[in-house]
Amino acid sequence: MTAELVRGQNHTLPQTRLEIRVSAGAPVVAGATLGDERGTVRGVEWIAHPGSPQLPGLEVSRQAASEHRLAVDLDALPAEVHRVTVLLALPLGAGGPARFGAVASPFVAVTGLDGGEIATFTLTGLDSESAVSALELYRRQGAWKVRAVGQGYAGGLAAMLADQGLDGAAELAGSIQEAVARGLARSVAPPPPRTPEGDRVRQTAAPATGGGQPPVPPPATPQPAPLPGSATPPPATPQPAAPAAPGGPVDYAHPRRQTSTPPPPPPTAPPAQPGQPAQPVAGDATGWSMDERLYNQIWGMFEDLARAAAAYRSAVDFAESRMDQELERTLSDPRSRIGGAGDRARAEARAKRDELTGRAREALDRDLAQLAAESAVVEPALPAAYAGWDNPVWHGYRVPMEIPMALRIGDLHLPESVALRIPLLVRLPLERGIWIDSGRTASEAAALTDTDTLRRLAMESAVLHAARLLAVYPPNEFSVHVIDPAGSAATALAPLVASGVLSGPPASGPGGVASVLAHLTRRVDLVQMAIRAGAADSLPPDLDPAEQLLIVNDFPHGFDDRAVTQLRYLADEGPAVGVHLLMVADRADASAYGPVLDPLWRSLLRITPVADDHLADPWVGHAWTYEPLATPPGSRVLEQVLAQVASARRTGHR
């Protein structure tokens, strides 16, 4: 069970190999310091930061970003280290906010390698601070614990490092900020900037906080994924909008767009009957296009459901806690243990508990009903990129001429309402690779499925994802390569092979693996060199300018050490220059590599071929069940879509 920490609270760590995931409302610098028994940092060699991201047992991000993943192996730390402090700082001179009070509260989660959350902490109450010690891992009597710190510093990174006893703190802070500002911590240029998303500023059904539940913490900006346990929270980075006064006008102004021309207003909902909630409308969110509005509306629904469930769970916990306290007070009096006084007290306490939980459930049911009504309106209006395979939009599919904002890769739901599914969207172009875990996970669905079936379903899922990517890109702007070392995925790959949409036959054997990896590695190298030299128009004529997707089946079978190194290189450097991974693998099969492959797994968004609750939202940290997409039984929609894609690739137009 996840421990939701408050400032100063600690929690015992059940394992020593961890990930620390950070979500912030703006790009931040993430680092960590090592401290001795007194918490003193002995020198710059005990600090991991973007300019020097790796220490024994510790690895941090190499650049400022809204989402971070820090890898920690407590057993690998030097023996004299007794404390690891996670630091966050706002980059200077980057045109962003200068204080944490101007952004959404940062959210930090300590997770196991399987993505399961151990402890979370939302850093609320920050104002003028530009740097903060978020949390610390410390050793006490041989056992490691995590403590929520939340100590901010108005003096910035230099003041924070000086407070930990570091000599030359100002000089080191300056060099870190300079490295971040110049991009020295990253070897390739970042992806082109995108139009920022707006937050859903209207609330069709605000989660009720009746029944005595405490308020839900403010959002810690999502990523996609990263969604913990995946590797990228939700793909968007919405900023929280100021709440409108009850009954007042709704402000549809984009919170981050600096322009003199406001975006067109969303569709207007029909007037609501007195005492009834407003009727939902598809596209009821900010945005410059219907696709952007639907994208923001879906993430608004995601947040609304997360907060409604949080309010309900908080109310139930409060009711249980209140009942326990009343029973304890009653039974602590010996006089209440005789006669019927004790029984009456227990009955009254349970009645109060049932009343509170009943009221909370009524509020939740109202919110769920309104979200279900909104989903019923939104789903039919979704474009192909956002729609499931069973959506009729696919029957009228035409190859697009522009890349959409995002792509649907599955659905999410909570146990409070299994029938209410929220589309899981990732931004395009992909910012990280995807790993379809073909191993036996802890989910009930995986436990009931044999190993061979899991592998088959994982590869079929990979084919569906590749088909969707091909379908939403313009003709000849997306290419797919396949590595199938043993040829075991021939049946699953049949739709892609038969339609002729692959760049070449699936590569098999050591020679095929080496050839494909060498080809894509060369492409990454050439594009990187062209970007650095400012000569993007000087690429060789034989280089395919399209985005590239590499499907890898049954990793690491068929991979030697050189091939593994090349694959890690593609995972790290490829997304920035248009080369993406879609891996089907069981992590247990690669256990012989030990921690060498840990950065590879961390760099990929993990999804599953069957239902699994390994993803978590960035607002309150619920465990969401991921459901993979599938074509309807007996449907030939996949073959029809691929046939149109292949035809468009041959003719070069729709």
Side-chain angles (χ1 to χ4, degrees), residues 382-601:
L382 295 179
Y386 300 177
W389 286 110
D390 57 349
N391 193 307
V393 70
W394 286 105
H395 296 291
Y397 166 77
R398 294 292 182 270
V399 178
M401 297 305 292
E402 294 183 353
I403 301 173
M405 176 176 288
L407 180 74
R408 186 173 184 166
I409 63 170
D411 293 330
L412 299 172
H413 66 81
L414 288 173
E416 283 81 3
S417 181
V418 175
L420 180 57
R421 307 295 175 93
I422 304 295
L424 175 58
L425 304 179
V426 295
R427 289 294 299 264
L428 293 179
L430 295 173
E431 296 177 347
R432 63 191 311 182
I434 297 175
W435 163 32
I436 303 178
D437 190 350
S438 60
R440 188 175 296 278
T441 62
S443 71
E444 180 180 356
L448 297 175
T449 309
D450 62 80
T451 301
D452 291 340
T453 302
L454 281 174
R455 294 179 186 274
R456 175 180 59 80
L457 292 175
M459 196 60 204
E460 291 175 354
S461 181
V463 169
L464 290 177
H465 289 307
R468 292 178 71 87
L469 284 163
L470 284 164
V472 302
Y473 269 78
N476 298 313
E477 290 192 18
F478 198 85
S479 299
V480 178
H481 310 262
V482 177
I483 289 179
D484 184 21
S488 59
T491 302
L493 290 168
L496 297 178
V497 175
S499 61
V501 295
L502 295 178
S503 296
S508 60
V513 172
S515 175
V516 172
L517 291 176
H519 169 73
L520 293 177
T521 301
R522 172 179 176 268
R523 185 189 187 283
V524 172
D525 289 341
L526 290 174
V527 175
Q528 281 188 348
M529 288 189 290
I531 291 174
R532 291 169 183 161
D537 55 348
S538 301
L539 292 168
D542 64 334
L543 187 139
D544 182 4
E547 297 274 318
Q548 309 287 312
L549 177 71
L550 173 59
I551 302 176
V552 178
N553 179 45
D554 214 14
F555 176 82
H557 299 298
F559 281 70
D560 56 20
D561 290 345
R562 176 179 173 81
V564 169
T565 301
Q566 288 177 315
L567 192 69
R568 287 185 55 187
Y569 176 72
L570 293 178
D572 291 340
E573 308 292 355
V577 291
V579 177
H580 314 284
L581 286 185
L582 178 55
M583 282 183 50
V584 176
D586 179 358
R587 187 167 184 171
D589 292 342
S591 58
Y593 287 92
V596 172
L597 290 182
D598 285 354
L600 173 64
W601 304 119

